[in-house]
Amino acid sequence: MDKAKKRVFSAIQPSGTLTIGNYFGALKNHVAMQEDYDCIFSVADLHAITVKQEPEKLYTHTLELYAIFLAVGLDPEKSIIFIQSHVPAHTEFTWLLNCFTQFGELSRMHQFKEKSKTHSDNINAGLFDYPVLMAADILLYNTELVPTGQDQKQHIELARNVAQRVNGIYGDILVVPEPYIPRTGAKITSLQDPSKKMSKSDSNANAFISILDEPDVIIKKFKRAVTDSEALVKFDEENKPGVSNLMNIYSCATGRGIAEIEKEFDGRGYGDFKMAVAQSVVDALSPIQAEYKRIISDKAYMSEKFAVAAERAADIANDTLRRLKEKIGFYI
Ligand code: ATP
Ligand code: LTN
């Protein structure tokens, strides 16, 4: 690993098939970051079981997410790409950090409050402790930058506070991470309700485009996307949130600027515009889908990659774990 490069860590839960929101908001930036940073990416399967998971689905989604990571261009030769539960240090470090995290600060987490409502029949201790496991993920790897969407900012702030608290007691042993939120694509909204973010666990499949949706499905979903009655392709997030979201998606898929897009569709109706957006997404996803099909059918290749990655990750993680245990006063 190149010491001159900053360490980056991020993870995604295998809680469903990724959407173009996850791709444009997170993964696409992760791929670009590999050139300039020393990157570690993880499939956060331990986080996923904070809500109910059917075993077969969790198993399938874990492998699928790993294949998607590789298909979009995360490169196991450049970055460490591993499955969280393969590195036991994450759970052990979580226990240590639990003892430096206050009940009060976890009670204030937005995601816990929201998920306690949506999963009111299963408000388990893991759901409450989710941010400490995330702090463990980040702090184990001496992470300097954590790229995520806006929704994870509060969790990163908690990881910073815990690191600073530990450092205050034992000296500077943990690196205090910074959030890294991208400017474009940070929020792709639902195709059915543009006031909500596009989410892979939305109960209405027309609300999201999955990375693995077939071209005819993509076209159908864009045709049904909510717009307005003005028939004018103009960027105005407040008054025309549906059209503005489609313009954002088109911009992410083609690299064109918003002004250029307004000009391109000047005097043309929404029918034309929606077809162009759909086609641009089909074109952006088609090489990823072809690569995905190749990788998912080669499980031996993936197993080899994630086994090597877990060893490399464990080397770094175990060192941090041992250093903190020594400081705490454990007999090692
Ligand atoms: P779930 O629906 O299961 O809660 P999700 O689709 O909201 O999940 P996560 O797994 O929580 O996605 O997030 C993975 C990454 O993608 C995070 O960095 C998150 O900030 C980013 N992300 C998720 N949804 C969007 C979106 N609509 N626009 C931009 N970025 C997003
Ligand atoms: N909580 C994140 C996933 C996640 C993560 C992390 C992100 C788990 N561990 C460490 C950044 C760093 C989510 O739901 N998007």
Side-chain angles (χ1 to χ4, degrees):
M1 285 289 154
D2 188 342
K3 276 274 163 262
K5 289 184 178 174
K6 283 195 174 175
R7 169 67 47 79
V8 161
F9 182 97
S10 196
I12 298 184
Q13 300 184 67
S15 50
T17 304
L18 296 201
T19 69
I20 55 168
N22 301 125
Y23 178 56
F24 291 130
L27 270 184
K28 200 173 171 201
N29 297 303
H30 296 172
V31 174
M33 289 181 93
Q34 293 183 114
E35 304 308 321
D36 301 319
Y37 299 95
D38 176 9
C39 296
I40 305 183
F41 300 111
S42 184
V43 174
D45 54 352
L46 295 169
H47 277 101
I49 63 162
T50 56
V51 303
K52 263 182 222 140
Q53 295 288 344
E54 284 175 37
E56 298 78 23
K57 281 202 180 148
L58 179 63
Y59 186 87
T60 315
H61 284 146
T62 300
L63 215 58
E64 181 186 288
L65 182 53
Y66 199 85
I68 288 178
F69 274 5
L70 301 190
V72 298
L74 294 185
D75 180 349
E77 307 307 321
K78 288 184 191 150
S79 306
I80 299 179
I81 308 162
F82 75 104
I83 296 175
Q84 188 187 28
S85 65
H86 291 181
V87 180
H90 288 250
T91 43
E92 193 175 348
F93 205 57
T94 299
W95 179 257
L96 303 184
L97 297 183
N98 272 334
C99 302
F100 299 90
T101 307
Q102 299 302 308
F103 179 85
E105 57 190 341
L106 289 179
S107 310
R108 286 193 289 276
M109 295 289 117
H110 305 309
Q111 186 176 297
F112 173 68
K113 289 187 203 162
E114 273 158 36
K115 293 217 168 166
S116 304
K117 280 188 207 138
T118 45
H119 301 275
S120 57
D121 58 335
N122 183 26
I123 309 176
N124 61 78
L127 190 67
F128 188 65
D129 204 32
Y130 179 113
V132 184
L133 177 59
M134 182 161 157
D137 295 346
I138 297 168
L139 301 178
L140 274 174
Y141 297 97
N142 309 313
T143 304
E144 291 165 274
L145 291 178
V146 186
T148 63
Q150 184 67 33
D151 57 330
Q152 296 301 312
K153 202 167 173 215
Q154 195 188 28
H155 289 160
I156 301 170
E157 200 51 50
L158 180 95
R160 287 172 57 82
N161 291 338
V162 172
Q164 278 160 347
R165 195 167 302 142
V166 169
N167 287 346
I169 303 170
Y170 301 112
D172 281 345
I173 59 166
L174 299 176
V175 174
V176 180
E178 298 280 344
Y180 187 87
I181 318 268
R183 311 143 311 279
T184 54
K187 194 167 176 209
I188 302 290
T189 63
S190 155
L191 298 184
Q192 292 298 316
D193 176 0
S195 68
K196 290 197 317 198
K197 76 166 193 171
M198 183 181 282
S199 166
K200 57 173 133 63
S201 51
D202 201 306
S203 55
N204 179 358
N206 284 323
F208 58 80
I209 306 284
S210 141
I211 292 189
L212 302 178
D213 275 345
E214 299 283 345
D216 56 326
V217 176
I218 296 177
I219 291 169
K220 204 167 65 196
K221 286 184 182 177
F222 276 113
K223 275 190 183 159
R224 291 186 184 155
V226 168
T227 46
D228 51 58
S229 55
E230 210 181 12
L232 179 66
V233 179
K234 185 168 159 278
F235 195 80
D236 178 349
E237 280 180 313
E238 200 159 310
N239 302 307
K240 297 168 72 68
V243 169
S244 303
N245 186 42
L246 294 180
M247 292 176 80
N248 263 333
I249 294 173
Y250 191 62
S251 172
C252 287
T254 60
R256 280 174 220 162
I258 294 295
E260 202 182 338
I261 298 170
E262 282 178 355
K263 212 183 276 170
E264 185 180 345
F265 294 98
D266 189 20
R268 292 163 67 184
Y270 287 159
D272 255 17
F273 172 56
K274 283 180 168 180
M275 276 312 287
V277 179
Q279 194 54 50
S280 73
V281 170
V282 168
D283 293 344
L285 296 183
S286 92
I288 295 173
Q289 295 182 352
E291 214 21 34
Y292 173 82
K293 282 195 186 113
R294 195 180 66 77
I295 295 167
I296 198 73
S297 62
D298 192 352
K299 298 217 169 52
Y301 172 78
M302 277 198 283
S303 302
E304 183 197 317
K305 293 299 167 198
F306 59 62
V308 172
E311 270 183 43
R312 290 172 67 198
D315 278 348
I316 306 168
N318 289 337
D319 179 63
T320 311
L321 179 63
R322 189 188 43 75
R323 283 190 290 117
L324 182 58
K325 284 171 84 172
E326 261 172 21
K327 289 282 185 186
I328 291 176
F330 285 119
Y331 188 91
I332 296 179

